[in-house]
Amino acid sequence: MKPLPTRIAAGEAPHAPSAPVLDVRGLQVALPVDADRPHAIERLDVRIEAGRTLCIVGESGSGKSVLATTVMALLAKGLTITAGDIALAGEPLLSSGRYLPEKRLRALRGQVMGMVFQEPMTALNPVLACGEQVDELLRNHTTLTPAERKARILQVFERVRLPDPQRIFSSYPHQLSGGQRQRIVIAMAIILKPRLLICDEPTTALDVTTQAEILKLIAELQQEQGSAVLFITHDMGVVAEIADEVMVMHRGKVVEQGPREQVLRTPCEDYTRMLLATVPGMVPPPPRALPGGPALLAGRAVGKTYVRRDWLGRARPNTALKEASVAVHRGETVGVVGESGSGKSTFARCMIRLIDPSEGTITWGDREVQSLSESRLRPLRSRVQVVFQDPNRSLNPRRTVGSSMIEGAVNFGLDVPAARKLAEELMDRIQLPRAALSRYPHQFSGGQRQRLAIARAVACQPQVLVADEAVSALDVSVQAQILDLLREVQRDFGLGILFITHDLRVAAQLCDRVIVMNQGRIVEEGPTAEVFGQPAHAYTRKLLAAAPRTELGVAA
């Protein structure tokens, strides 16, 4: 990915600082009284001029997203603004702790400021078609005719690289992949070309090629409209590509701030250096010695075809997966990479029988399972356990984490005392206090919940863990902790791991072998060092070329 073009024309003198699009002064947001610290944000100043990008980085809980929702006047309940002022394009948005009237705020949202949320399923209405949700925005803020609105929506869908925009227009959120849903949210945020674009982890669910296109699209929006961008991310590669300035936050305070080159190359603070040190590299480590033996999880010529019917009842087959094969052995990590919609998650779900394959053979150890009914499959499910991208899908919000962890172990043969003892030992392993077994999922941070989801899966004593984007939503330091935990449990329990990811840096560091998928087919596979070092297929070369590759070495 090439660096973004300069925003000053050749031979033109830099302009004097103009009035900022966003001007935040002395912002302070208080947390509830039972929180771990008094303030979510403490005396924060932010200034972003037209055409400039400020990237904010920091660990989970640093206050990054609180700043974004405060600017959008969408502050969560329980948080209180105790000081500060916010001006948007010269208009006072927040003054003396009070926002503008709600009617004016609604007019500003979309037209003057837009936001891309991290989790698209919380931003999209599950009962409305995607096109209808974007159309609602245009109806409220423009005087375009229905035909003009649809034409503009389809044009934006094409710009964010959504396949078959006509089909996406009439599809519901649950019918799309995670990356496709995120692109819908991005389309909604940019369609009115706002002066301020707030992006809260907008590329977390996107593959590297789509990420490159989205970053290019944001750069074009800046050049066309002079938009200012507040970009929250944990991807230091993205920061190195797009930032004009970088702000590092920790526990609600600004630790370091300055031009991109200064912060990334010669950081002043230990905390910044720690964040940079946790960024995984693109060069795989030397190959490991593996135990070998028979495959614990294997698939041969696995395929999946979905059949949709139109309003006349005519069948519309859609082949999502075709002739895919894989084998995972004891102690081995096999990565599956590819763009959003490439079929990698469909492949994983077929392998663990969350969906039924249309063709092929799937074995768990010595048992073929592709045609087993759920009643016959249930006793075997302890062999293969899954860790999802969102740990809330693995943990029941109405049960304590202890009861969730114990439940799985009991279902597969342990008595309750033995299951509780195992749960306590796993809490030690994931570095959480045993007393936390009595807490509920919402009482933990995102990284802690993901560790608990891994512990719950391991409590079932599986042979194979299937991790579907298990670290993509985590900041770099927490991501490093989760990857270390996966290596540790693999080493101690001899687990095989099938690791689904769009993050090539993570795949490079964790996986022994890599499978590359495109349009439902496997186009290349082999040892990670060979695939990354000498890719044989043009599509693999395209993926590797699109990954942010700026080295983030810290000067001595």
Side-chain angles (χ1 to χ4, degrees):
M1 189 188 304
K2 297 180 180 179
L4 299 184
T6 179
R7 298 177 180 86
I8 300 174
E12 183 179 320
H15 294 292
S18 58
V21 175
L22 177 66
D23 193 5
V24 179
R25 297 179 182 271
L27 182 64
Q28 188 160 282
V29 179
L31 287 165
V33 292
D34 59 347
D36 63 342
R37 64 179 193 266
H39 297 99
I41 293 176
E42 193 167 344
R43 296 296 177 182
L44 186 72
D45 294 330
V46 176
R47 179 187 174 97
I48 314 177
E49 297 173 4
R52 305 287 287 179
T53 298
L54 171 67
C55 283
I56 302 182
V57 298
E59 294 176 288
S60 177
S62 63
K64 308 184 301 293
S65 294
V66 173
L67 171 61
T69 54
T70 303
V71 172
M72 289 292 293
L74 297 172
L75 201 61
K77 291 182 179 179
L79 301 180
T80 307
I81 298 172
T82 56
D85 301 294
I86 301 175
L88 178 65
E91 181 176 359
L93 186 72
L94 174 74
S95 182
S96 302
R98 298 188 64 180
Y99 283 108
L100 292 172
E102 183 61 29
K103 183 178 180 180
R104 179 57 183 159
L105 291 174
R106 289 181 180 176
L108 292 174
R109 295 187 194 114
Q111 282 191 315
V112 183
M113 58 179 175
M115 183 166 177
V116 181
F117 294 91
Q118 179 176 0
E119 178 46 61
M121 284 303 282
T122 62
L124 296 173
N125 189 329
V127 300
L128 290 180
C130 295
E132 186 177 351
Q133 296 188 52
V134 186
D135 186 67
E136 180 182 15
L137 188 67
L138 294 180
R139 286 200 313 271
N140 291 333
H141 292 284
T142 72
T143 57
L144 298 175
T145 65
E148 290 171 334
R149 294 198 303 268
K150 183 170 184 179
R152 180 180 289 191
I153 293 168
L154 294 177
Q155 181 184 41
V156 171
F157 281 5
E158 288 181 358
R159 291 191 71 185
V160 297
R161 295 189 73 234
L162 281 166
D164 193 358
Q166 287 280 2
R167 177 180 65 83
I168 298 290
F169 186 93
S170 58
S171 297
Y172 291 86
H174 73 273
Q175 295 175 309
L176 307 180
S177 71
Q180 290 169 343
R181 288 194 291 265
Q182 187 66 294
R183 280 176 272 177
I184 294 292
V185 175
I186 292 171
M188 293 177 69
I190 68 173
I191 195 167
L192 293 175
K193 300 181 179 179
R195 296 282 308 279
L196 173 67
L197 183 62
I198 301 174
C199 303
D200 189 2
E201 302 281 7
T203 58
T204 290
L206 303 180
D207 55 78
V208 289
T209 53
T210 303
Q211 173 181 273
E213 291 295 326
I214 294 302
L215 297 180
K216 179 181 177 183
L217 183 61
I218 292 172
E220 291 173 356
L221 182 66
Q222 285 182 296
Q223 292 186 334
E224 293 170 5
Q225 299 293 120
S227 299
V229 176
L230 176 65
F231 202 102
I232 296 169
T233 183
H234 64 256
D235 190 329
M236 291 296 186
V238 170
V239 174
E241 295 285 350
I242 71 168
D244 293 304
E245 286 204 1
V246 180
M247 176 186 288
V248 183
M249 293 186 66
H250 180 54
R251 295 181 64 83
K253 297 180 180 180
V254 176
V255 173
E256 185 165 355
Q257 184 173 358
R260 173 187 60 191
E261 291 297 316
Q262 181 267 306
V263 174
L264 297 185
R265 302 292 182 186
T266 56
C268 300
E269 300 297 325
D270 290 340
Y271 180 75
T272 309
R273 285 192 283 268
M274 181 276 293
L275 287 180
L276 294 172
T278 58
V279 178
M282 284 288 287
V283 179
R288 299 184 299 161
L290 299 173
L296 303 177
L297 174 70
R300 294 189 300 276
V302 178
K304 178 63 179 178
T305 299
Y306 295 96
V307 178
R308 299 177 62 188
R309 296 191 178 276
D310 61 18
W311 62 283
L312 292 175
R314 293 173 297 192
R316 301 289 187 184
N318 176 32
T319 300
L321 185 68
K322 185 70 173 177
E323 296 182 346
S325 300
V326 67
V328 182
H329 301 83
R330 182 173 180 269
E332 179 185 38
T333 301
V334 178
V336 183
V337 302
E339 294 176 289
S340 175
S342 64
K344 55 186 187 295
S345 289
T346 300
F347 189 20
R349 283 166 167 74
C350 286
M351 294 300 300
I352 58 181
R353 285 296 313 277
L354 287 184
I355 57 176
D356 296 329
S358 304
E359 58 190 12
T361 303
I362 298 171
T363 56
W364 295 356
D366 56 354
R367 291 291 300 275
E368 289 192 4
V369 300
Q370 71 275 0
S371 58
L372 293 184
S373 65
E374 182 57 36
S375 61
R376 296 179 62 192
L377 191 65
R378 191 173 297 119
L380 304 175
R381 285 212 175 270
S382 64
R383 297 186 182 187
V384 180
Q385 289 290 298
V386 62
V387 180
F388 294 102
Q389 176 178 352
D390 182 0
N392 293 321
R393 296 176 64 180
S394 303
L395 301 170
N396 188 330
R398 296 185 177 182
R399 305 188 68 172
T400 65
V401 296
S403 61
S404 291
M405 205 177 297
I406 291 168
E407 176 191 32
V410 170
N411 285 345
F412 295 116
L414 284 184
D415 57 40
V416 173
R420 172 163 288 278
K421 182 180 178 182
L422 176 60
E424 291 173 347
E425 292 172 352
L426 288 171
M427 292 296 281
D428 296 338
R429 184 176 292 276
I430 64 174
Q431 298 179 355
L432 288 175
R434 293 187 177 190
L437 287 169
S438 61
R439 299 179 192 168
Y440 290 86
H442 73 272
Q443 295 175 290
F444 297 89
S445 70
Q448 289 172 332
R449 284 196 294 269
Q450 194 63 291
R451 278 187 269 170
L452 288 164
I454 293 172
R456 183 184 186 278
V458 173
C460 298
Q461 300 178 310
Q463 297 176 347
V464 177
L465 274 183
V466 176
D468 190 0
E469 301 283 8
V471 298
S472 63
L474 305 176
D475 59 70
V476 287
S477 59
V478 176
Q479 183 183 89
Q481 295 169 14
I482 298 300
L483 294 178
D484 286 342
L485 177 61
L486 286 173
R487 294 186 188 100
E488 181 182 325
V489 297
Q490 181 181 56
R491 181 187 67 240
D492 293 347
F493 295 99
L495 300 176
I497 297 178
L498 183 64
F499 194 85
I500 315 299
T501 184
H502 63 260
D503 192 327
L504 298 180
R505 292 179 180 271
V506 170
Q509 298 305 310
L510 184 68
C511 300
D512 300 295
R513 290 190 295 117
V514 172
I515 291 172
V516 183
M517 297 194 67
N518 182 32
Q519 298 182 347
R521 291 179 178 270
I522 293 175
V523 297
E524 185 167 357
E525 61 179 307
T528 305
E530 292 183 13
V531 172
F532 276 64
Q534 296 180 315
H537 197 278
Y539 177 75
T540 308
R541 292 193 290 271
K542 173 188 171 185
L543 280 183
L544 294 171
R549 301 182 68 88
T550 302
E551 296 302 321
L552 300 173
V554 178

